[in-house]
Amino acid sequence: MTTTTPGKTGTATTTGGVEVRHLAVNGCFEFTPPVFRDERGLFVSPLQQQAFTEVLGHPFPIAQTNHSRSARGVMRGVHFPATPPGQAKYVHCSRGRGLDVVVDIRLGSPTFGAWDTVEMDTETFRAVYIPDGVGHAFLALEDDTVMTYLVSTPYRADLEREIDPLDPELGLPWPKDMRFIFSQRDTGSLSLAEAKARGILPRYEDCLAAAEAHR
């Protein structure tokens, strides 16, 4: 049974006990699973294939799991894969607290340029599904924040691309009272305009084809 309630950006639905919200970026979803707590601790399933399949029409294809641990202020992104082959992600916070951001950089997408945010922690265990070609960024809001990524294709460093998360054209809503920490890779990232001029932004139709190939 599916019930519908208003969401922050889109419509939130409850499917098999999992609350699902369609984000402002076409094809991106937030999943909030039920958390079972008692005097021993808690139990939670951040990815539930039945709920995912009901919303997306197919199960999430897991090729690899990744974990990152970050100090407060560490910003990762905006990252995206070369498409093809592309890569879809399902991300949740396993420890700490962070701000997760999705950005539509797919040329030809009906929501090109749109972004949305999800605050992640170990109270709600919200997770985000990020389809092929969508830009992804993350900011750790606490020390020792651990993010868990389920991905649809194996990691290949030579296929990874990045855009400056502070690019004014993107206008992402980062906190203004925090000192950000970047990797050397992200420090030298391109602006959205530069990435477009160099022809490295993914095309929406290629992203849809990549998604079909991974299922």
Side-chain angles (χ1 to χ4, degrees):
M1 178 179 178
T2 299
T3 59
T4 302
T5 57
K8 291 186 296 181
T9 300
T11 299
T13 63
T14 301
T15 301
V18 179
E19 184 178 283
V20 184
R21 182 171 66 94
H22 197 168
L23 300 180
V25 174
N26 189 49
C28 291
F29 291 87
E30 171 193 283
F31 291 82
T32 304
V35 182
F36 303 96
R37 293 181 170 87
D38 60 23
E39 67 279 2
R40 300 167 300 167
L42 63 80
F43 179 86
V44 64
S45 298
L47 171 64
Q48 298 185 31
Q49 288 283 26
Q50 183 174 348
F52 185 94
T53 301
E54 186 169 334
V55 173
L56 274 297
H58 60 85
F60 184 80
I62 303 172
Q64 185 171 312
T65 61
N66 304 324
H67 293 262
S68 67
R69 186 173 70 176
S70 303
R72 183 178 187 272
V74 168
M75 187 180 293
R76 302 177 185 269
V78 175
H79 297 159
F80 63 99
T83 305
Q87 183 182 80
K89 302 173 184 177
Y90 191 92
V91 184
H92 73 275
C93 180
S94 301
R95 179 176 179 177
R97 187 167 62 94
L99 182 66
D100 207 72
V101 178
V102 292
V103 188
D104 198 343
I105 55 170
R106 299 166 296 179
L107 296 173
S109 168
T111 56
F112 179 80
W115 53 260
D116 210 337
T117 65
V118 175
E119 187 167 322
M120 295 186 172
D121 53 40
T122 53
E123 292 297 318
T124 64
F125 288 93
R126 296 185 188 98
V128 173
Y129 169 66
I130 306 159
D132 296 78
V134 170
H136 177 242
F138 166 76
L139 173 66
L141 300 176
E142 295 180 0
D143 284 334
D144 292 323
T145 291
V146 176
M147 298 295 291
T148 298
Y149 304 73
L150 309 179
V151 296
S152 63
T153 58
Y155 174 77
R156 283 183 53 184
D158 60 312
L159 296 178
E160 287 294 310
R161 307 288 186 265
E162 53 278 326
I163 292 174
D164 182 4
L166 303 182
D167 181 0
E169 185 176 355
L170 295 178
L172 302 181
W174 304 117
K176 300 187 182 303
D177 59 347
M178 185 179 293
R179 183 179 68 87
F180 304 133
I181 304 169
F182 296 98
S183 68
Q184 184 176 1
R185 165 193 170 189
D186 287 336
T187 300
S189 55
L190 303 174
S191 68
L192 180 64
E194 289 170 332
K196 185 176 182 180
R198 295 192 186 187
I200 66 171
L201 294 183
R203 297 188 304 169
Y204 186 59
E205 60 267 31
D206 291 340
C207 296
L208 296 181
E212 285 291 334
H214 300 157
R215 294 174 191 172

